[in-house]
C-alpha cells in the first residue's frame, strides 16, 4: 500500500493577474508538479530519505508466524508423547497422526521462504551464521549434555552424525544450497519424489549427515519452494476448513487402527526399507503414500491456522530457538527416567499433564527474552569472519544515506 502526499496546510504562491486570452486556439496545457514547501531544492539524499519515509516498513505475515508456532508446539507435544506410546494406543494414534504432518508443514514453510535464496554473498553468510554455526554449537552441546545426563562419557562428538534434533539444520543447509538447481529443472517435485524413493531403497547411504532424512523429506521442501501466496489462500477457504475436520478425524481413526499393526518409525524417514525388514518395493509404496497423507494433513493444518495477529504470533520468529532448546528437556526426561518413575504419567490425566507441560515449555523457549539470551548461538553476526564485496558496501551506503 502506498501513501499519497497531499499539500494540506502549505502556503500557495500568489496567483498571477487574470488575463483575457487572445482570440485563437487555446495554448496547450502544461502539467506543473505539486508545489514544494518554501525551501532550498531537495538534494539527492533528501529524495532517498523521502522515499524511505513514504515506503511502508516490511511487515511479517501473521499467518506464517502462527503456522510456525503451532507446528513447533506440535513437535514438542509429539516428543512428549513418545514415551507414552508403548502403553497407550490412543497416545500412539495421536503420535502417528501428528508425526504425519508437523515436520512436513514446517519444511514446506522453510521451502516457501527459501524462494529468493541464491549464491549472493550476504545470503550465504546468513546461511552459515543462521544454520551451519548453530548446528555445530548444538551438536557439541547435545553431545556434552548426553555425556553428563546419561552418564555416557564415551559419547563422541561427530559433526557427520547429527544427534537428535540437529538433523534439521543439516537438511536445511543442504536444501537451501540446492535452491538454484531446483529453479532450472523442468519437473522439480517429481524429481524430488524420485530421489526420495531411491533413498528409501538404498541402505548403503548410512548415517553420515543423516542423508536419509535429508533426501526423504526433500519433496516437502521443494513443494514449499514452488508454492505461491494464492496456494495458501486456497487452503484457507471456508469449505477447506470445514472439510479438514472429518479428514483429521478419519486420520486419527486410521492411525488408531494402524497403531498395533505398523511401526511409527516410517514417519521418521531415517531408515531404508531394507533396514526396516521389508521388501524394497514396500519402501517406494510407503514413500508415495506418506507423501500424499502428509500433504493432505498439512493442507488441513494450514486451513485452521489463524490469519490475524494472535497473542502467540510474535513467538513465530523464535521457533528455531524452541525447537533446539526443548530437546534438552525432552531427552533429559528419558535419561532421568521420569516416565518410569512416575507411573501416573501413563494415565489419561498424566498424558494431558505431559501435553500441557510440553506446550508451555516450548512456548516459553520461543519468547523474546530467551531469544536475546541465546542469540549468540542461534544468530551470531560474525562480521569478523567474512569479507565484504563492493556491491554490498554500496548497498549499505545507500541504506545509511
Amino acid at each position: 500500500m502506498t501513501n499519497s502526499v497531499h499539500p494540506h496546510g502549505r502556503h500557495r504562491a500568489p496567483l498571477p493577474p487574470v488575463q483575457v486570452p487572445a482570440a485563437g486556439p487555446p495554448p496547450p496545457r502544461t502539467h506543473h508538479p505539486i508545489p514544494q514547501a518554501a525551501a532550498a531544492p531537495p538534494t539527492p539524499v533528501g529524495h532517498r530519505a523521502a522515499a524511505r519515509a513514504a515506503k511502508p516498513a516490511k511487515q511479517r505475515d501473521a499467518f506464517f508466524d502462527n503456522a510456525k508456532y503451532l507446528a513447533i508446539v506440535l513437535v514438542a507435544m509429539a516428543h512428549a508423547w513418545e514415551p507414552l506410546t508403548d502403553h497407550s494406543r490412543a497416545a500412539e494414534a495421536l503420535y502417528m497422526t501428528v508425526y504425519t504432518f508437523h515436520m512436513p508443514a514446517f519444511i514446506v514453510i522453510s521451502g516457501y521462504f527459501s524462494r529468493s535464496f541464491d549464491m549472493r554473498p550476504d545470503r550465504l553468510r546468513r546461511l552459515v551464521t543462521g544454520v551451519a554455526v548453530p548446528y555445530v554449537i548444538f551438536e557439541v552441546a547435545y553431545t556434552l549434555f548426553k555425556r553428563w545426563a546419561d552418564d555416557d562419557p564415551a559419547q563422541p562428538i561427530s559433526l557427520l552424525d547429527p544427534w537428535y534434533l540437529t538433523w534439521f539444520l543439516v537438511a536445511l543447509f543442504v536444501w537451501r544450497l540446492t535452491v538454484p538447481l531446483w529453479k532450472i529443472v523442468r519437473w522439480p517435485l517429481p524429481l524430488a519424489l524420485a530421489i526420495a524413493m531411491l533413498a528409501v531403497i538404498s541402505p548403503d547411504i548410512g548415517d553420515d549427515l543423516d542423508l536419509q532424512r535429508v533426501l526423504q523429506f526433500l519433496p516437502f521442501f521443494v513443494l514449499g519452494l514452488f508454492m505461491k501466496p494464492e496456494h495458501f489462500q486456497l487452503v484457507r477457504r471456508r469449505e477447506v476448513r470445514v472439510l479438514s475436520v472429518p479428514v483429521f478425524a478419519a486420520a486419527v481413526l486410521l492411525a488408531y487402527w494402524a497403531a498395533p499393526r505398523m511401526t511409527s518409525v516410517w514417519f521418521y524417514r531415517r531408515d531404508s526399507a531394507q533396514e526396516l525388514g521389508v521388501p524394497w518395493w514396500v519402501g517406494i509404496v510407503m514413500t508415495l503414500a506418506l507423501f500424499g497423507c502428509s500433504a493432505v494433513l498439512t493442507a488441513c493444518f494450514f486451513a485452521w491456522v489463524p490469519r490475524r495477529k494472535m497473542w502467540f504470533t510474535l513467538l513465530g520468529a523464535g521457533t528455531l530457538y524452541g525447537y533446539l532448546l526443548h530437546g534438552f528437556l525432552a531427552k533429559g526426561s528419558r535419561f532421568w527416567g521420569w516416565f518410569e518413575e512416575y507411573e501416573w504419567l501413563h494415565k489419561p490425566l498424566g498424558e494431558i499433564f505431559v501435553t500441557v507441560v510440553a506446550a508451555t515449555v516450548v512456548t516459553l523457549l520461543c519468547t523474546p527474552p530467551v531469544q536475546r539470551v541465546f542469540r549468540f548461538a542461534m544468530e551470531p553476526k560474525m562480521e569478523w569472519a567474512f569479507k565484504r564485496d563492493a556491491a554490498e558496501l554500496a548497498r549499505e551506503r545507500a541504506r545509511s544515506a
Side-chain angles (χ1 to χ4, degrees):
M1 179 177 178
T2 57
N3 296 326
S4 300
V5 180
H6 299 283
H8 297 302
R10 294 181 179 178
H11 296 288
R12 295 177 180 268
L15 295 174
V18 178
Q19 297 180 354
V20 178
R29 298 182 61 184
T30 58
H31 295 279
H32 299 282
I34 297 176
Q36 302 293 326
T43 63
V45 173
H47 279 305
R48 287 194 292 267
R52 286 198 302 273
K55 184 179 180 180
K58 185 178 180 180
Q59 296 182 350
R60 298 177 65 95
D61 191 323
F63 169 78
F64 290 107
D65 279 335
N66 293 338
K68 289 194 294 182
Y69 167 76
L70 295 174
I72 212 64
V73 168
L74 290 173
V75 169
M77 291 194 305
H79 288 156
W81 293 337
E82 185 177 358
L84 308 174
T85 56
D86 293 336
H87 304 88
S88 172
R89 186 173 177 180
E92 175 75 5
L94 289 175
Y95 180 79
M96 294 173 67
T97 304
V98 169
Y99 252 86
T100 304
F101 71 91
H102 69 345
M103 282 309 296
F106 208 78
I107 294 169
V108 166
I109 296 174
S110 299
Y112 180 76
F113 282 100
S114 298
R115 294 172 300 163
S116 62
F117 182 83
D118 53 25
M119 295 300 176
R120 211 171 71 183
D122 58 330
R123 287 175 177 154
L124 286 174
R125 277 200 299 273
R126 285 198 296 271
L127 181 63
V128 171
T129 58
V131 179
V133 171
Y135 167 70
V136 174
I137 292 175
F138 276 87
E139 183 66 23
V140 173
Y142 274 143
T143 302
L144 296 179
F145 177 74
K146 188 177 189 304
R147 289 181 180 180
W148 168 70
D150 199 27
D151 193 19
D152 184 15
Q155 175 71 20
I157 296 176
S158 174
L159 298 182
L160 293 179
D161 187 10
W163 191 75
Y164 198 34
L165 302 178
T166 55
W167 72 267
F168 178 72
L169 295 176
V170 172
L172 187 58
F173 187 86
V174 174
W175 293 334
R176 280 196 176 156
L177 284 179
T178 63
V179 167
L181 174 63
W182 295 112
K183 289 182 177 180
I184 64 173
V185 298
R186 181 166 294 179
W187 301 291
L189 186 56
L191 177 58
L193 279 169
I195 292 174
M197 288 187 287
L198 287 174
V200 81
I201 61 174
S202 303
D204 294 335
I205 287 180
D207 296 328
D208 288 349
L209 297 180
D210 223 343
L211 281 179
Q212 278 288 357
R213 274 177 165 162
V214 173
L215 299 178
Q216 290 192 41
F217 275 114
L218 175 63
F220 299 103
F221 181 82
V222 175
L223 176 63
L225 192 62
F226 288 92
M227 289 188 70
K228 297 179 181 178
E230 51 264 33
H231 296 140
F232 290 98
Q233 293 291 340
L234 181 64
V235 300
R236 282 149 52 182
R237 294 169 59 181
R238 183 177 183 276
E239 52 267 33
V240 178
R241 291 201 304 273
V242 172
L243 182 61
S244 66
V245 175
V247 170
F248 263 123
V252 173
L253 291 176
L254 179 61
Y256 190 83
W257 172 86
R261 295 173 171 82
M262 68 173 288
T263 175
S264 57
V265 177
W266 282 107
F267 299 96
Y268 304 154
R269 293 174 171 85
R270 67 185 180 195
D271 299 295
S272 66
Q274 293 88 333
E275 290 171 314
L276 295 178
V278 298
W280 63 270
W281 60 267
V282 174
I284 294 178
V285 172
M286 288 297 294
T287 297
L288 294 174
L290 285 177
F291 178 79
C293 293
S294 297
V296 170
L297 291 185
T298 297
C300 293
F301 167 73
F302 285 146
W304 279 98
V305 171
R307 309 179 218 181
R308 64 186 184 278
K309 193 171 183 178
M310 309 290 289
W311 65 266
F312 53 79
T313 302
L314 179 66
L315 306 180
T319 49
L320 195 57
Y321 289 80
Y323 174 77
L324 291 173
L325 292 173
H326 92 278
F328 292 101
L329 182 60
K331 277 296 183 183
S333 66
R334 305 299 298 272
F335 294 154
W336 299 319
W338 291 350
F339 287 90
E340 290 76 18
E341 182 177 355
Y342 303 104
E343 295 185 0
W344 63 273
L345 294 177
H346 296 270
K347 306 297 182 182
L349 287 179
E351 294 171 352
I352 295 174
F353 173 79
V354 166
T355 303
V356 172
V357 168
T360 303
V361 167
V362 79
T363 297
L364 294 175
L365 293 177
C366 293
T367 55
V370 175
Q371 294 180 43
R372 287 193 292 269
V373 171
F374 289 96
R375 185 163 285 127
F376 75 95
M378 298 293 299
E379 300 176 82
K381 294 186 180 298
M382 296 181 62
E383 295 177 352
W384 53 269
F386 301 101
K387 296 187 297 183
R388 296 184 179 182
D389 59 6
E392 183 181 0
L393 289 174
R395 285 194 296 270
E396 289 188 359
R397 283 195 295 268
R399 285 196 295 267
S400 61

